[in-house]
Amino acid sequence: MVAVNLGAAHYWLDHLYGAIMHRMRLAPPFFSGGWGGPKLELLEQMSRQLIAQGLAQVSLQHWPPPAINPVWRTVWESRRARLQEGVFTTPCEEMLKQVLPIESQTARVRLLSPRNVPAHETSCVVHLAGTGDHGFDRRLRLGGPLLEKNIATMVLESPYYGKRRPPLQRGARLLCVSDLLLLGRTTIEEARSLLYWLEAAQGYKKLGICGLSMGGVHAAMVGSLHRTPVAILPFLTPHSAAVAFCEGILQYGTAWEVLMRDELLSGSMTREQVVERMRTVLSLTDVTQFPPPKNPNSVIFVAATVILLSILVYFLPFVFVMCCVSSLIHL
């Protein structure tokens, strides 16, 4: 009973904090540029077509994913490990590239791997970014302990984040709703190509993909579309972005008034109607519409009640390593 009460207190404190941050305008809101006009219409149409055709069937028809050829440089190396950074052109189809910001069309990735151990004797986990996770450092720190287990870590910088961020965007606050769909679609395509590159070009026998929050949603999607079983580790992940923006704390940081006035909508709409429209759009990011994983035994979902979340943060590196090793064992 105490845990339930404390959990409720944390829940309401989170929402109170979000409301205060938004009302005091301490940070710019999400989607201050509106829905995205024709870009959103294009992305909705493409996404609904893929879902109607069946994502499992589409992924088989388009296998292997588009080839990439990263250009690498060594950031540092020691006796035990090496950190490399690679760049490559995003493998998204041309129609998506035309609406993707030029800054986001060049992907950046870092690979932390053990030295003097051939790839076929090691495993590699691709770590995708959560909301607001610019650059590489946070996720690379989690990759350090994996080196002890001969597990490499590949970290992809998301489009719209870090050096891939458009100049008018402040921080992680995407300008348009269409940007969120583009971010997800591009991340999925890049991660699929990276997994295939690690497998086909580098010779890794065991692969995994993971992410926190938004990164976990993308990881679950990518893992489900890979032709062979991979370890999948979504951490503290909702089933879609609709949960975060329509029910969670991000609802307080969303420019609902701008979205209500956007010319994409015909006529005036109430706040409730706009929220429902947002829920419909973001339902396209629902991971439950994707095929089930090839090997459910190699999938670990890490979830927490609100009261346990603050405790889990302190033990995240330990939990992360334990889950990675456990899921890779089942491949």
Side-chain angles (χ1 to χ4, degrees), residues 92-111:
C92 288
E93 56 190 282
E94 194 59 37
M95 192 176 297
L96 287 177
K97 285 184 183 178
Q98 291 177 4
V99 293
L100 191 67
I102 187 68
E103 296 82 6
S104 294
Q105 293 183 22
T106 299
R108 294 202 311 148
V109 65
R110 285 195 174 183
L111 177 62

Side-chain angles (χ1 to χ4, degrees), residues 87-323:
V87 295
F88 60 93
T89 301
T90 185
C92 288
E93 56 190 282
E94 194 59 37
M95 192 176 297
L96 287 177
K97 285 184 183 178
Q98 291 177 4
V99 293
L100 191 67
I102 187 68
E103 296 82 6
S104 294
Q105 293 183 22
T106 299
R108 294 202 311 148
V109 65
R110 285 195 174 183
L111 177 62
L112 179 64
S113 57
R115 286 193 65 188
N116 305 319
V117 182
H120 68 271
E121 295 181 9
T122 65
S123 306
C124 186
V125 176
V126 178
H127 199 153
L128 303 181
T131 302
D133 189 359
H134 298 268
F136 307 104
D137 291 347
R138 293 180 188 173
R139 287 169 286 156
L140 282 176
R141 281 197 292 270
L142 291 174
L146 292 179
L147 291 173
E148 301 290 338
K149 309 292 184 180
N150 277 341
I151 300 174
T153 298
M154 175 172 275
V155 178
L156 173 66
E157 183 174 63
S158 287
Y160 292 92
Y161 279 17
K163 290 188 177 180
R164 305 181 69 183
R165 184 179 63 193
L168 295 180
Q169 177 184 308
R170 293 184 59 189
R173 305 292 172 138
L174 303 175
L175 289 174
C176 299
V177 176
S178 59
D179 293 340
L180 184 60
L181 296 185
L182 261 174
L183 184 158
R185 179 69 180 270
T186 305
T187 298
I188 291 168
E189 295 301 327
E190 291 173 357
R192 290 186 69 213
S193 292
L194 284 170
L195 279 178
Y196 184 72
W197 180 84
L198 288 166
E199 183 179 62
Q202 299 301 298
Y204 285 94
K205 299 302 182 185
K206 291 186 177 183
L207 295 172
I209 187 160
C210 68
L212 175 73
S213 185
M214 176 183 73
V217 177
H218 296 154
M221 293 173 174
V222 173
S224 73
L225 296 175
H226 199 67
R227 184 183 60 176
T228 56
V230 295
I232 306 173
L233 300 105
F235 283 76
L236 308 177
T237 296
H239 63 85
S240 84
V243 176
F245 285 97
C246 298
E247 303 166 20
I249 194 172
L250 293 184
Q251 66 178 297
Y252 301 107
T254 298
W256 296 111
E257 294 79 8
V258 174
L259 296 175
M260 290 168 62
R261 299 192 303 266
D262 193 288
E263 61 184 11
L264 183 65
L265 301 179
S266 55
S268 60
M269 297 183 72
T270 65
R271 164 74 176 264
E272 291 73 21
Q273 289 172 321
V274 171
V275 171
E276 195 56 37
R277 165 66 175 148
M278 177 74 80
R279 195 186 307 277
T280 300
V281 171
L282 297 186
S283 69
L284 298 171
T285 69
D286 196 324
V287 72
T288 62
Q289 299 180 100
F290 282 68
K294 308 296 186 300
N295 182 0
N297 291 328
S298 64
V299 180
I300 298 178
F301 283 88
V302 178
T305 61
V306 179
I307 188 61
L308 290 177
L309 183 57
S310 57
I311 300 174
L312 179 62
V313 169
Y314 290 101
F315 295 98
L316 184 59
F318 172 76
V319 174
F320 177 74
V321 172
M322 182 177 65
C323 290

Side-chain angles (χ1 to χ4, degrees), residues 30-49:
F30 282 92
F31 315 135
S32 60
W35 293 94
K39 286 196 300 183
L40 181 61
E41 294 174 339
L42 171 66
L43 289 162
E44 280 192 282
Q45 180 183 6
M46 294 177 68
S47 299
R48 296 191 193 285
Q49 286 177 349

